[in-house]
Amino acid sequence: MSLHLGSIAPDFEANTTMGPVRFHDWIGDQWAVLFSHPKDFTPVCTTELGRAANLKAEFDQRRTKMIAVSVDSVEDHHKWLGDIEETQNAKMNFPIIGDEQRKVAQLYDMIHPEANDTLTVRSVFIIDPNKKIRAMVTYPASTGRNFTEILRVIDSLQLTDDYKVATPVDWKDGDDCVIVPALQDPAELERRFPKGYRVVRPYLRLTPQPNK
Ligand code: BEZ
């Protein structure tokens, strides 16, 4: 079954570097980022996991838990963690799933045979507290992810869940937002956007970020 935005993230049980998890219970009432890395003891993955660990406070602020997965064993992950901490000046502070049987990798379609028969690509799934997949991004093994961008997407999702806005190109927290085109009633516009808004085109209206 293919996964789409809005699909319920498949649930699973797995062993991790922080003990066993049942995925949906582990998410609880928070947001989650599930991301795959191709293999333990590889350079790009080492930098990514260190960076993610160093950004944990930022993810916490957004009520978002991180969990990584690769097709190596928890035992191998543990051996690798010391290298990550030493070389990336990081303290590993989120679980890494051991997925030797490729159960999670298959559930989430993380193995792309045209890229590699056995290893996962760099998948990112952003999942909301209702366990719905809200964003999916896929990178090749050769390209390390930008975790600041992942935080930016979470900011956009959480903002646009609460207000009738969308976020324009290169938006970051604090920038102006666009008002959703469906909202046309002048009284409602005034009520929802007391800071005012600017009409660039009838379909392109900018307003200061409503929750700032
Ligand atoms: C890496 O994380 O460095 C990596 C993993 C698999 C293929 C290429 C690079």
Side-chain angles (χ1 to χ4, degrees), residues 56-194:
K56 182 163 185 300
E58 292 288 331
F59 283 91
D60 288 347
Q61 260 182 32
R62 291 157 175 85
R63 311 179 314 281
T64 302
K65 294 167 128 179
M66 289 183 282
I67 190 163
V69 57
S70 86
V71 297
D72 297 298
S73 65
V74 167
E75 196 183 22
D76 278 348
H77 294 340
H78 276 299
K79 288 184 196 149
W80 183 31
L81 293 188
D83 285 356
I84 298 171
E85 294 190 346
E86 214 175 300
T87 62
Q88 306 306 306
N89 197 22
K91 180 91 194 101
M92 287 308 293
N93 47 22
F94 59 86
I96 308 178
I97 296 165
D99 194 33
E100 290 158 289
Q101 307 303 320
R102 296 171 168 69
K103 199 169 88 180
V104 177
Q106 273 161 11
L107 267 179
Y108 281 82
D109 196 22
M110 290 166 166
I111 296 178
H112 296 194
E114 291 83 356
N116 189 298
D117 278 346
T118 52
L119 305 180
T120 58
V121 292
R122 295 185 200 282
S123 300
V124 183
F125 291 87
I126 301 176
I127 298 162
D128 73 13
N130 296 318
K131 320 299 182 281
K132 281 195 177 157
I133 297 174
R134 300 296 301 277
M136 297 186 278
V137 195
T138 308
Y139 298 74
S142 52
T143 305
R145 285 160 283 216
N146 181 328
F147 282 82
T148 306
E149 167 63 5
I150 294 169
L151 288 166
R152 191 191 75 91
V153 176
I154 295 168
D155 282 340
S156 173
L157 288 167
Q158 294 182 347
L159 175 73
T160 59
D161 276 359
D162 290 345
Y163 298 91
K164 287 190 183 281
V165 294
T167 58
V169 62
D170 291 343
W171 172 88
K172 56 186 183 331
D173 189 39
D175 289 351
D176 285 354
C177 303
V178 298
I179 297 173
V180 295
L183 187 52
Q184 291 294 335
D185 176 50
E188 190 178 354
L189 281 162
E190 202 168 310
R191 181 170 58 77
R192 289 189 181 274
F193 303 108

